[in-house]
Amino acid sequence: MSKETEFYNYITTLPETTLSQVRGKPHEVLKLIDEYPQNFMNIGPHKGTQIVTRIKEKAPKTMIELGGYLGYSAVLFANEIADDPDAKYYSFELNPEFAKIATYVIDLAGLSDKVEIIVGRASYTLPAFRQRLFSENKHYTGLDFIFIDHWKDLYVPDLRVLESLNLIAPGTLIVADNIITPGAPEYVVYVNFSPDEKKLYNETTKNPEGKEFIGRWNILYDTKTIEVATANHKDAIEVTKCVDYFSG
Ligand code: SAM
């Protein structure tokens, strides 16, 4: 049995006295995950705090994450927008088993109205999601906040998907995890490209997530790698703001 399924069995069979103490309390639910005697690949409290600070500053209305896993980051981050009736958090998760566990965790935290889990490969589900956003809001101009935390080899391909779908626009803030451990060097290079370098890269590098998702060379980013010491290793997040379109 996978450690994730074991965790699901554990959390769903906790005595009602314990559940009633954590129900509707996002930080208490996160504590159950932090204190569980297995390590999971979630953002954790150290890097999580850095990202929470940026969510507080930005107060995003529409926030997505690529890679939902067991719902830890969704609970931590969606809690920050819980009081805004217009704000919504969308969690893209490939694995239906993980999505089932996250659904339980998010519900226990009392955030199921705030968070929607979209199951499937992000590059397959993002186009329909984009259609929905654009049809629901005619003045829609891009996502406010994007948290990238799925498989490292998909960071650049899926950023190109997001760019191609016009989900990134001036004002969009993108935070990517695991920049040092296990590392996402190609991603850091991509967000630091000049418009000319990016144009060349996008025209000459096929996107494995779909050749139609070439990316947008004229999106200008301002980006910074921020090191964060976690409990057992050094890591960094990449904080990238779309500042403008390059006009030549
Ligand atoms: N953000 C989570 C947290 O902090 O609690 C941790 C995410 S975990 C590092 C990575 C997750 O990305 C896994 O659950 C995996 O199934 C998911 N994933 C991998 N490739 C994906 C894809 N193409 N689309 C959506 N999710 C994907």
Side-chain angles (χ1 to χ4, degrees):
M1 191 189 298
S2 73
K3 64 179 179 181
E4 289 84 5
T5 302
E6 276 178 21
F7 173 71
Y8 181 70
N9 292 342
Y10 157 76
I11 196 168
T12 52
T13 55
L14 282 169
E16 183 49 37
T17 45
T18 309
L19 286 174
S20 62
Q21 281 164 14
V22 303
R23 191 171 284 123
K25 297 179 185 152
H27 285 285
E28 295 301 314
V29 172
L30 295 179
K31 225 193 260 175
L32 285 180
I33 303 177
D34 287 331
E35 289 172 358
Y36 187 75
Q38 285 268 14
N39 277 336
F40 294 118
M41 52 178 169
N42 52 48
I43 189 74
H46 300 87
K47 290 181 284 177
T49 304
Q50 292 280 332
I51 300 169
V52 162
T53 304
R54 283 160 181 90
I55 296 172
K56 283 187 197 296
E57 286 163 6
K58 177 97 185 137
K61 297 280 182 209
T62 311
M63 177 162 182
I64 72 163
E65 69 179 2
L66 303 186
Y69 194 41
L70 309 184
Y72 188 105
S73 51
V75 167
L76 182 62
F77 301 154
N79 184 39
E80 295 302 320
I81 57 170
D83 292 337
D84 180 346
D86 298 328
K88 186 98 193 188
Y89 193 97
Y90 300 91
S91 175
F92 289 78
E93 174 50 51
L94 175 70
N95 182 322
E97 278 306 305
F98 294 164
K100 180 181 87 179
I101 302 169
T103 301
Y104 184 86
V105 167
I106 291 162
D107 187 47
L108 187 60
L111 290 166
S112 44
D113 286 349
K114 264 297 132 189
V115 182
E116 178 179 334
I117 301 177
I118 298 177
V119 184
R121 196 174 179 98
S123 58
Y124 295 175
T125 54
L126 278 167
F129 170 71
R130 178 222 186 246
Q131 275 309 110
R132 238 175 80 192
L133 285 188
F134 278 76
S135 61
E136 280 166 12
N137 180 357
K138 303 279 177 250
H139 305 291
Y140 179 75
T141 51
L143 297 169
D144 298 311
F145 206 118
I146 299 170
F147 175 48
I148 302 184
D149 189 23
H150 56 341
W151 301 153
K152 308 317 148 207
D153 58 338
L154 291 179
Y155 278 24
V156 172
D158 280 344
L159 181 62
R160 292 172 72 188
V161 172
L162 291 163
E163 289 179 346
S164 303
L165 292 171
N166 284 329
L167 286 167
I168 296 174
T172 304
L173 192 68
I174 308 160
V175 175
D177 187 27
N178 301 119
I179 294 303
I180 295 178
T181 314
E186 306 84 5
Y187 180 81
V188 177
V189 168
Y190 187 88
V191 290
N192 277 287
F193 273 153
S194 69
D196 281 347
E197 288 168 333
K198 195 170 169 192
K199 191 166 197 244
L200 181 67
Y201 176 90
N202 284 350
E203 282 172 2
T204 56
T205 314
K206 193 172 147 212
N207 189 342
E209 290 306 287
K211 62 178 180 343
E212 69 278 30
F213 301 122
I214 184 166
R216 284 195 67 175
W217 66 273
N218 64 340
I219 287 179
L220 290 179
Y221 292 129
D222 179 14
T223 191
K224 239 188 219 119
T225 304
I226 296 172
E227 283 193 20
V228 187
T230 70
N232 42 21
H233 62 278
K234 197 169 81 171
D235 199 356
I237 53 173
E238 186 73 20
V239 179
T240 305
K241 186 169 183 191
C242 173
V243 284
D244 208 346
Y245 296 119
F246 180 71
S247 51

